[in-house]
Amino acid sequence: MLNISALRDLEQTPFADLLRQAAALRDAGHGRRISYSRKVFIPLTKLCRDVCHYCTFAETPKPGVPAYLSIDAVLRIAEQGRRAGCHEALFTLGDKPEARYAAARDALAALGHDSTLSYLAEAAGAVLDKTGLLPHLNPGVMTKAEMAMLRPVSASMGMMLESAADRLCERGGPHFGSPDKAPSVRLQTIEAAGELAIPFTTGILIGIGETRAERIDALRRIGELHERHGHIQEVIVQNFRAKPGTKLAGADEPDLQELLWTIAAARIILGPEMNIQAPPNLTPDFYGTLVGSGLNDWGGVSPVTPDHVNPEAPWPEIEALAKATAATGHLLVERLTIYPAYARDPQRWLDARVRPAMLLMSDAEGLARTENWAPGLPISETALADFNRTPYLAAVDRTIARAVDQATAARRLDTTDIMRLFQARDRDFRHVCEAADTLRRETVGDVVRYAVNRNINYTNICYFRCTFCAFSKGKTHDDLRGKPYDLALDEIARRVTEAWERGATEVCMQGGIHPDYTGQTYIDICHAVKRAVPDMHIHAFSPLEISQGAATLGIGVSEFLQRLRDAGLGTLPGTAAESLDDAVRAIICPDKISAGEWLNVIEAAHKVGIRTTSTIMFGHVEGLDSWALHLLALRDLQERSGGFTEFVPLPFVAMEAPVFRKGGARRGPTLREAVLMHAVSRLALHGQIANIQTSWVKMGETGVRLCLQSGANDLGGTLMNESISRAAGTQHGQELPPPAMRALIRSVGRIPQQRDTLYRPVDAERETAAENPADLAPLILTAPNDPQALSRRSA
């Protein structure tokens, strides 16, 4: 941050050079993005004890006009905003009107409150709980105790510093008679917000009689507070607008150059990472010029309510703002009231009451989720149309293009490059997906393969407590998704035989970690399959099951894998990977094997000649950095061992997952993120893993088409009995038969081919058997106390 002596440099720097310097700093910190928040304004009260000489928001009590909006009126406004796609409810109100007006005190008493801030807490809590919108509170000066009271019902708060010049509060100044405008009082409020870890908005108002030096001093003080607490999420540079009926009605407004100079100065003083905002409705004809001065945010724009502070200045249409922003080479992105850096660290910055609503509205970057789709649900026509919208930007970002070129050449990307690819939107998103599809065609051609297989989950009893899992049950616990079961070997053998008769070449077998299972249980399962159908390929047992089975036998992982191989195990599913980032695993599966242990089991399997798949489960609590670490861990292991057959992105299906139902996770990836995971993995794993599979269970047929056009080349298995995703809430069924598989593949102009587990074509007999299969017989779910249950046989 600059010191006071640097003011001379700002004054002496040629204006055009100053703007270029500020814009370059902004691009270094924020790239091509300019953000905004889609919000609804709720003027809880227009009464105020202050008498600022330029304000038309504050009113005096009037007969017949309620002093405060009722809770019902507040909720009607909020609901109107929710229906219009808003994510933020901005509460605007005057400072402590009860200190000046008896009408305010009487109205509060009738509402059951003794202060405006107490009533604000009730109103904000009602909006949060009943509409899910994130409240942002602008109630003026507050004590630390008052802010602590409001923190549980707000995602962020704000108060303009306006100026740090005490002289503006003297007689004749614009703040004379306004005790809450004293700079020291306002700075104390901003400091208290930092001490309470409240994401805070502040800024300066220019053109009310302050000097440039005083503006710089105000910006410096804001910067010093941010250096201490890290809580200033945005700084607004707002230009004074003269309003009829005020004492400053005849005052000169700051000209455009003065506004641009101040925005640039704010950027240079506060640095590349700070969010600098200028309200677009106050300078409506100069969007491109404002962007050139170094701002990176347009602030709140409401599709339903006016700017109650500047009612004479209408909001721009969001589409027009997007086009004007794109004309400068920048991309308009929607954020929440809480900026991404704060949204990505909710444990620190948000109260537990607010976190679920924020996570519900957030994508993996902490920006606003702008679509209603989630994995496991159908993709609506509206969502698809928005996904296919014509890009605003004319050119691809150079850093994106460079990362794509490096990946296409099979060079290893670093974490930053992969994260940048995951951030791709608009034109950049199209470029990444098209490059991935081209690379897919060059690498594996136009054949899309699928396997006819059956899922057999031999038990849903598990003593692990993975917070994302809706499948597992306690040993005796019933819930909405069915009773605990523990299959008999005869039932496993029956399902294997039935699958073979229906054309299957593989059984995929996994289950919960039953407390009574040993390594011998898994060996017995293999023997049962091979006795039933000797030619059936066994694709079974996650690395977690391998680790647990080896431990129960008192042998090493490699020895246990060899025993399983000798018993008939063919390949290992690369599940239980979830996220290969131990910080994430500590949240979603704290008692599971670590990322390093998972990789060690997989590498041991490859060394004994057992090939495996690889997976990621994404869209819950993790961020882009975790995705990048995961892909690089898989790439590096494949370079050492060469044992992965494919990579399978598994979007998190949230609906019935405990962590989501308790408000601790997002709704899964957005549609853009889900498609990008396939495209970016094709690029990042190029030269190591050739096959990228897309899950029809998670993505549905429409989503599968999008992924097949963005780097994916495999549809996985027909499954016959999918139960894990179904338990989590997916609506895409339990089986996708071969005719449906082929029709889906042909719908995107590709060539279908039935394969086995190791990507070899199957013989004609298997294809014929799979063509017109008989209906599946009812499943027999062996009860845990049945003598034939696996756990009782192993006891």
Side-chain angles (χ1 to χ4, degrees), residues 237-260:
V237 177
Q238 183 170 331
N239 45 319
F240 160 72
R241 294 284 296 266
K243 297 177 175 64
T246 67
K247 291 185 177 181
L248 293 182
D252 292 333
E253 297 179 350
D255 62 22
L256 180 61
Q257 181 165 330
E258 199 67 20
L259 175 60
L260 297 175

Side-chain angles (χ1 to χ4, degrees), residues 14-38:
F15 182 63
D17 291 345
L18 189 74
L19 297 187
R20 279 193 292 271
Q21 182 182 348
L25 283 172
R26 182 270 321 285
D27 289 347
H30 300 276
R32 299 205 293 176
R33 296 181 177 183
I34 307 291
S35 56
Y36 81 101
S37 174
R38 189 183 294 249

Side-chain angles (χ1 to χ4, degrees), residues 523-547:
I523 293 171
D524 290 345
I525 290 172
C526 290
H527 285 312
V529 172
K530 288 300 184 178
R531 281 195 301 268
V533 180
D535 290 335
M536 184 69 83
H537 183 96
I538 301 175
H539 181 65
F541 316 133
S542 72
L544 177 58
E545 291 169 291
I546 298 299
S547 178

Side-chain angles (χ1 to χ4, degrees), residues 664-700:
R666 304 191 300 278
R667 293 181 61 205
T670 66
L671 183 56
R672 179 189 65 87
E673 291 168 343
V675 174
L676 265 181
M677 180 60 76
H678 295 77
V680 174
S681 62
R682 167 64 65 189
L683 294 165
L685 299 175
H686 178 51
Q688 297 300 330
I689 301 177
N691 297 303
I692 307 297
Q693 186 182 120
T694 182
S695 169
W696 60 266
V697 175
K698 319 281 189 182
M699 296 297 301

